[in-house]
Amino acid sequence: MAQAITDADFEAEVLKADTPVLVDFWAEWCGPCKQMLPIVEELAGEYEGKVKIVKVNVDENTEAPGKFNVMSIPTFIIFKDGEPVTTFVGAKSKEDIVQELNAVS
C-alpha cells in the first residue's frame, strides 16, 4: 500500500530514501486523483522493495508541493538519490507509469 506522508517526514521518506521514490501529490476532492488510486496501490505492491511509493495530500501539506512546483494534481514526481528525475501530471495508464519506474529502478 502506498504510504501517506507529510511535509514533516518528506525529507526522511523521500529525499533520504535508499531506493527511488514515486510521490503522488493528490487531494480528496480530485477526480483524476481518485481514478489513479487503484493503479498507485497496485504499483506499491508490485514495486515493494524496489521503489517506494508515497502519497502527499496537497490540502494538508503545502510545503513539499510548493518546493517542487506542483501546480496541478495529480502530479507524480519520481525521486532518485534525493533529486527529482521525472515529473508527470494528470491521469496516466499503469503501463506509462511502469515505463517511468523501470527507467529509474
Side-chain angles (χ1 to χ4, degrees):
M1 196 166 143
Q3 176 184 354
I5 64 168
T6 65
D7 283 335
D9 53 10
F10 191 89
E11 183 175 350
E13 295 293 338
V14 177
L15 303 181
K16 293 185 176 177
D18 295 333
T19 61
V21 182
L22 171 65
V23 181
D24 174 6
F25 292 95
W26 70 286
E28 197 68 49
W29 49 265
C30 166
C33 299
K34 290 179 182 178
Q35 178 186 345
M36 293 302 299
L37 182 61
I39 294 171
V40 171
E41 293 300 334
E42 272 182 51
L43 292 170
E46 291 172 15
Y47 281 84
E48 191 170 349
K50 293 184 277 188
V51 177
K52 182 189 285 189
I53 299 182
V54 300
K55 299 173 69 59
V56 175
N57 184 321
V58 298
D59 288 336
E60 298 169 359
N61 303 279
T62 57
E63 191 176 306
K67 182 176 181 182
F68 295 101
N69 299 316
V70 174
M71 301 293 178
S72 300
I73 54 173
T75 290
F76 298 89
I77 303 177
I78 300 174
F79 289 81
K80 187 170 185 178
D81 300 322
E83 297 293 324
V85 292
T86 303
T87 301
F88 45 98
V89 179
K92 299 287 183 206
S93 71
K94 181 178 177 185
E95 292 74 25
D96 287 343
I97 300 173
V98 163
Q99 193 173 3
E100 298 289 351
L101 292 175
N102 288 343
V104 298
S105 62

